[in-house]
Amino acid sequence: MSDKIKSDAVFGLARHYRFQWEEAQGGYVLLFPEGMIKLNGGAGEVIKRVDGKKTVGEIVADCKAAFPDVPDLEADVLAMLQLAHEKAWIALKE
Amino acid sequence: MSQQNNGALLNHPPKPFWLLAEITYRCPLHCAFCYNPTDYVTHTQNELTTEQWIQVLRDARKMGALQLGISGGEPLLRDDIEQIVAEAGSLGYYSNLITSGVGLTEKRIAEFKRGGLDHIQLSMHDITKDINNFITDTNTFELKKKVAAMIKEYDYPMVLNVVIHRYNIEHIGEILEMAEAIGADFVELANTQYYGWSLLNRAQLMPTREQLEKAEAITNKFRERVGNKMKVFFVVPDYYADRPKKCMNGWGEVFMIVTANGDVLPCHSARSLPGLEFPNVRENGLEWAWNESPAFNKYRGDDWMKEPCRSCPEKEKDLGGCRCQTYLLTGDAEGTDPVCSLSPTHDVILQAIEDAKNPQLAAQPILFRNDKNSQKIVAGELKDLVAPFHALP
């Protein structure tokens, strides 16, 4: 597992994971064999942008543009990506 | 309803995130540890139709169901699983076929892929042909290997479920190595829980505490080595825990089962409980069944609890354990799960643990899950075997 998330890294959802909006839950969920994770609003916004194409830097910029009033957004986004990577919800693209 | 049931306890009103479709009780395997009801033979002639299942999927999805398990018995004995999978796919379920592998062909797996099935959970039993074939009372060892390869070839996540008991617990290291060799992504080492057939065969199946601790240590070591490459779940057998499991994450909280004949249940063995009439999709809407039916509200929240659970500081952690297990072992559905060391009936568990060390008990003949034995139980011919437990027919 990487210690630091690099800004030029590109992540995609881990193989066999699915991400979708659930009306009944009023939020985004991650689905995988044997489990499901309900993401809170901020986490959902970050994972939504993990598409296997955008770099970490682009995801941060994208979030900042979408939520200009939120302070310290970069740290939050990086922390979320770090957590998701540790949990193996997302994986580095080669 | 949430007010009547201590809405502070959990998120009320609850939603059925998980729908388990026990689509048929027919099964080509005869596993001694099966949790299916011992009278399952009474539910094999009145299965829901394809149209009825499709309606169940639609109604449950509207209520918030998201994870779908298609189980049994062996679901592949029905020839409409392709239609059911396709419907689940179009409704946005994350769907899982829970199978022994018997009946899975290239043609069918390709059709499941087209229909949007998300994963296949394959049961495996041992690294040896002898024990696989013995515990399932079938000749299925080679077939399971072929099916595992097919699952991989079709790029499904490889999810293996291995029910653990005294016949395979000492092979746990080799079982994990086999799982790694065939490229499993997830492995569930599910220590037998004692309901239905497995309860009848408990003395023959239950491992000793020493065996269990060794198995857990081997599993942990394996986990350290493989890391995230393969996720290993070790389902602890509650007989060897100090506190009971939070069964189904709470009665009628997240889990809904529809059985082959259309009964709607909050857990696999709820029909063994006394005095409850469960809804059936032939007569009742799913929404009424989940939200309003007396059976689904009976053990929601904690209003039903007695002492020592009622004033226990840990009651929200485990909700007093499993209602079915408590009734089966003590005759009181509202008591404290005997697994709990604070339960006044805990001695029944201590006795079972003691019995696990007794080779004479372990050597008794196993009662395999098959139609003939189920018919005998229904007819009252196996009274001696059934007598120690409450509620079995």
Side-chain angles (χ1 to χ4, degrees):
Chain A
M1 214 57 22
S2 67
D3 318 303
K4 268 266 178 254
I5 299 284
K6 297 191 182 73
S7 70
D8 61 347
V10 176
F11 286 98
L13 276 189
R15 245 177 109 235
H16 305 310
Y17 276 56
R18 203 162 93 198
F19 173 80
Q20 70 188 38
W21 173 263
E22 272 300 293
E23 199 57 50
Q25 312 250 10
Y28 288 104
V29 293
L30 260 180
L31 295 156
F32 52 96
E34 311 298 302
M36 164 181 119
I37 289 153
K38 188 181 166 183
L39 298 164
N40 68 28
E45 289 298 330
V46 175
I47 302 298
K48 186 169 88 175
R49 290 169 169 79
V50 174
D51 58 2
K53 291 179 198 127
K54 285 191 203 60
T55 64
V56 168
E58 285 165 344
I59 290 175
V60 170
D62 207 21
C63 287
K64 279 184 176 167
F67 306 98
D69 301 332
V70 180
D72 294 331
L73 195 60
E74 178 160 0
D76 289 349
V77 172
L78 292 179
M80 181 60 215
L81 290 172
Q82 176 93 28
L83 173 81
H85 191 210
E86 278 166 17
K87 299 263 184 195
W89 302 340
I90 60 173
L92 273 175
K93 288 275 161 190
E94 295 306 321
Chain B
M1 178 193 357
S2 51
Q3 291 87 337
Q4 288 164 22
N5 285 289
N6 189 355
L9 194 63
L10 290 150
N11 299 321
H12 278 254
K15 285 184 177 155
F17 298 147
W18 289 80
L19 172 65
L20 184 69
E22 277 186 345
I23 211 155
T24 178
Y25 285 121
R26 291 173 287 135
C27 192
L29 275 68
H30 312 298
C31 304
F33 52 74
C34 186
Y35 69 79
N36 276 176
T38 50
D39 64 350
Y40 78 83
V41 77
T42 60
H43 302 303
T44 51
Q45 304 301 316
N46 53 353
E47 292 178 2
L48 294 183
T49 63
T50 312
E51 291 68 34
Q52 284 169 320
W53 276 116
I54 285 176
Q55 196 58 48
V56 165
L57 296 191
R58 289 178 182 168
D59 293 346
R61 185 77 182 111
K62 268 189 225 143
M63 293 160 63
L66 182 50
Q67 290 269 9
L68 171 69
I70 302 168
S71 181
E74 172 49 65
L76 293 174
L77 286 184
R78 284 187 57 134
D79 56 15
D80 58 358
I81 300 300
E82 288 81 346
Q83 278 168 273
I84 287 165
V85 158
E87 181 69 22
S90 71
L91 289 168
Y93 278 103
Y94 191 80
S95 56
N96 174 17
L97 179 71
I98 300 165
T99 179
S100 67
V102 177
L104 193 63
T105 58
E106 290 262 356
K107 185 161 175 271
R108 295 196 85 178
I109 200 170
E111 198 59 42
F112 295 151
K113 197 83 198 180
R114 264 194 294 279
L117 181 69
D118 291 286
H119 70 113
I120 298 174
Q121 180 185 305
L122 177 66
S123 63
M124 299 281 260
H125 302 283
D126 198 34
I127 40 148
T128 72
K129 184 175 179 172
D130 287 349
I131 286 176
N132 176 85
N133 291 357
F134 167 67
I135 206 74
T136 63
D137 198 25
T138 56
N139 191 0
T140 50
F141 186 67
E142 300 301 333
L143 173 133
K144 282 179 183 287
K145 288 189 167 172
K146 277 187 213 144
V147 169
M150 211 192 294
I151 290 172
K152 205 75 193 162
E153 186 191 329
Y154 278 80
D155 195 35
Y156 275 108
M158 166 85 75
V159 184
L160 297 184
N161 179 286
V162 188
V163 175
I164 304 295
H165 40 74
R166 76 158 66 213
Y167 289 96
N168 62 7
I169 194 163
E170 298 199 5
H171 302 161
I172 218 155
E174 291 87 347
I175 290 172
L176 285 167
E177 280 163 21
M178 168 188 77
E180 188 183 14
I182 60 179
D185 299 289
F186 297 81
V187 178
E188 193 176 305
L189 301 170
N191 277 283
T192 306
Q193 307 267 1
Y194 300 102
Y195 300 92
W197 297 89
S198 57
L199 182 59
L200 290 182
N201 293 309
R202 188 179 65 189
Q204 297 92 322
L205 296 174
M206 197 157 124
T208 63
R209 188 183 293 276
E210 290 68 34
Q211 286 179 311
L212 177 72
E213 283 169 358
K214 212 170 135 199
E216 203 163 7
I218 291 169
T219 304
N220 287 335
K221 218 167 151 193
F222 181 86
R223 275 198 190 115
E224 276 171 33
R225 182 169 69 73
V226 301
N228 269 335
K229 194 178 77 177
M230 181 171 135
K231 292 200 174 165
V232 183
F233 302 93
F234 189 85
V235 182
V236 178
D238 57 356
Y239 278 44
Y240 286 111
D242 285 343
R243 289 289 176 274
K245 57 182 178 272
K246 188 178 187 180
C247 202
M248 313 313 291
N249 212 26
W251 179 274
E253 285 298 327
V254 293
F255 206 88
M256 179 165 73
I257 299 184
V258 178
T259 66
N261 62 314
D263 287 345
V264 190
L265 308 177
C267 77
H268 310 77
S269 43
R271 282 182 296 206
S272 60
L273 291 167
L276 290 179
E277 198 178 323
F278 287 99
N280 187 289
V281 297
R282 293 177 213 258
E283 286 117 42
N284 312 112
L286 264 194
E287 200 151 346
W288 180 85
W290 177 263
N291 291 316
E292 307 292 334
S293 70
F296 269 81
N297 284 299
K298 177 84 179 174
Y299 298 115
R300 270 201 179 120
D302 62 6
D303 281 359
W304 55 270
M305 272 182 197
K306 302 197 295 202
E307 293 296 350
C309 289
R310 171 143 291 287
S311 59
C312 180
E314 295 177 44
K315 71 175 172 184
E316 290 185 27
K317 263 195 223 160
D318 53 43
L319 294 171
C322 171
R323 294 306 88 219
C324 305
Q325 177 155 284
T326 307
Y327 181 66
L328 288 164
L329 299 183
T330 74
D332 177 7
E334 287 159 26
T336 301
D337 191 325
V339 156
C340 185
S341 61
L342 301 169
S343 165
T345 56
H346 187 52
D347 59 332
V348 300
I349 298 295
L350 297 178
Q351 188 58 52
I353 290 173
E354 214 38 52
D355 289 350
K357 296 183 213 156
N358 181 339
Q360 272 172 318
L361 288 175
Q364 293 171 128
I366 279 180
L367 193 72
F368 288 100
R369 175 215 196 270
N370 59 40
D371 290 2
K372 206 173 85 197
N373 285 335
S374 186
Q375 276 151 1
K376 278 189 189 169
I377 287 172
V378 173
E381 287 170 36
L382 298 171
K383 280 213 160 62
D384 287 354
L385 274 179
V386 172
F389 309 111
H390 299 267
L392 291 166

